[in-house]
Amino acid sequence: MKALKKYLNKRKSAITSVLEKQPESFTPDTFHTLRLEIKKLNAIFNLVNFCAPGFNRKKTFKPFKLLFSQVGKIRELQVENALLDKHSTSDCGPNYRRSLRKNLLQELNNFFLIINPSFAEKLQKKYRKIKAVLAKTTKKTAKRYVDKKKVKIEKLLHKKALKKKQMHALRKSLKEYQFNQKSLKYAQKNKLLSNKNDVLALLGKWHDYQTVIQHLKKTIDLGQINPKERNRLQNSIRTFTLKSRLLYTRINATLRTSVFKNA
């Protein structure tokens, strides 16, 4: 499929461009872009895995998964720092903030160790492999895959109120469905929500708070901080939990007022 090959080439170009940057030019936006591009690539792999029996998806995607995981560690720390800076009342204390910065530097170092010339060549080989498999992907089979994804999303959207796990599932499924539409040039068809971008933005913010809350709780559970800083972390958890609950309510309310469109 020409559309799918063109979309794959764009992902390849975008990822390669980021990985060729000098370390000092990387910013939080750079890592966000890289993670997003790998998500788009993953959507292609999932589609091809459905359309081409015998395709070894796990092995082919392995280096991208490693990269995605490492970028995810960096992004989580960057997002946490950003949220702590945004909410001045969430003062976790100097020791914790120093610990965050130290962890971030370590994960950045791990990232730059991964993206060496040998790793870059490995990615190029995987691109060539997925291109060869794309020839086995037909429009009819691709449409069947996208339609199945749509049905799963509609089941979630028709629930009166989504639970946390369902909200995580909806966010992931909506984004992948969006990527599938664009890769197959279905952007103007099969719309599920009239305000999809608003919903995704709210889900993204909610997910950020959820991630930070879990990290703060994990830190407390380790029992390696003094009582004063533990109290500060607990205050931050309360602040972020309130924000998360407000977003949770807003997301469910937004979904209830959304306009559904048939394909």
Side-chain angles (χ1 to χ4, degrees):
M1 292 180 65
K2 289 183 178 180
L4 206 52
K5 286 184 178 179
K6 187 176 180 180
Y7 190 79
L8 174 65
N9 285 333
K10 285 184 177 180
R11 307 291 63 85
K12 174 186 174 182
S13 178
I15 293 172
T16 301
S17 178
V18 170
L19 297 182
E20 289 178 347
K21 287 178 177 290
Q22 294 299 312
E24 59 271 16
S25 67
F26 276 73
T27 66
D29 283 342
T30 308
F31 286 105
H32 171 70
T33 297
L34 180 55
R35 191 163 166 83
L36 182 61
E37 288 297 333
I38 300 174
K39 285 182 179 180
K40 292 177 181 179
L41 188 64
N42 184 54
I44 296 177
F45 273 67
N46 286 339
L47 188 151
V48 172
N49 189 54
F50 178 87
C51 297
F55 171 57
N56 194 333
R57 187 213 181 287
K58 184 177 181 180
K59 183 178 179 180
T60 310
F61 193 70
K62 189 175 180 179
F64 295 103
K65 184 178 180 180
L66 171 65
L67 188 62
F68 184 75
S69 176
Q70 186 57 39
V71 175
K73 293 175 184 177
I74 293 169
R75 282 297 298 152
E76 286 183 4
L77 292 169
Q78 289 174 335
V79 167
E80 183 169 349
N81 269 310
L83 286 180
L84 290 172
D85 288 340
K86 180 180 179 181
H87 299 284
S88 57
T89 55
S90 300
D91 180 12
C92 291
N95 290 334
Y96 183 72
R97 295 304 291 271
R98 277 196 295 271
S99 175
L100 275 184
R101 288 192 290 271
K102 182 180 178 181
N103 289 340
L104 179 56
L105 287 173
Q106 181 60 57
E107 297 302 348
L108 286 168
N109 183 59
N110 292 340
F111 170 78
F112 290 114
L113 287 174
I114 289 173
I115 58 169
N116 54 45
S118 175
F119 184 78
E121 178 56 34
K122 186 180 295 185
L123 295 186
Q124 295 303 317
K125 289 180 180 179
K126 300 303 182 182
Y127 288 128
R128 290 193 288 270
K129 184 165 288 188
I130 188 68
K131 279 185 179 180
V133 181
L134 283 179
K136 301 177 183 179
T137 304
T138 65
K139 289 183 179 180
K140 183 178 180 180
T141 312
K143 185 179 185 304
R144 191 163 73 247
Y145 172 78
V146 174
D147 287 344
K148 286 185 69 174
K149 300 289 289 186
K150 180 185 176 185
V151 169
K152 288 183 179 180
I153 294 172
E154 286 178 330
K155 287 181 180 179
L156 287 172
L157 293 176
H158 282 94
K159 291 184 178 296
K160 291 183 179 180
L162 294 178
K163 297 178 181 179
K164 285 185 179 181
K165 285 186 178 181
Q166 293 171 329
M167 212 164 265
H168 281 295
L170 176 62
R171 176 175 177 266
K172 184 177 179 180
S173 296
L174 270 178
K175 290 182 80 68
E176 185 164 333
Y177 184 77
Q178 182 182 53
F179 299 151
N180 289 148
Q181 285 182 312
K182 290 182 178 179
S183 68
L184 297 166
K185 292 191 175 180
Y186 291 169
Q188 301 304 317
K189 304 174 184 178
N190 300 323
K191 289 186 177 180
L192 289 163
L193 295 167
S194 61
N195 53 355
K196 179 178 62 180
N197 290 335
D198 292 339
V199 171
L200 282 172
L202 290 172
L203 284 167
K205 291 179 181 179
W206 176 80
H207 179 265
D208 286 345
Y209 280 116
Q210 287 289 302
T211 300
V212 175
I213 289 168
Q214 292 304 313
H215 186 255
L216 292 175
K217 287 182 176 179
K218 184 177 179 180
T219 301
I220 291 175
D221 290 341
L222 289 174
Q224 297 176 354
I225 55 175
N226 62 57
K228 185 176 181 180
E229 289 220 330
R230 183 176 65 246
N231 290 335
R232 287 179 169 180
L233 291 183
Q234 289 171 335
N235 286 334
S236 294
I237 289 173
R238 282 191 282 272
T239 297
F240 294 145
T241 298
L242 176 60
K243 295 287 183 180
S244 176
R245 286 174 179 169
L246 290 172
L247 282 167
Y248 174 83
T249 301
R250 187 178 171 188
I251 291 167
N252 273 314
T254 302
L255 290 174
R256 284 196 296 272
T257 59
S258 297
V259 179
F260 293 84
K261 296 185 178 181
N262 296 322

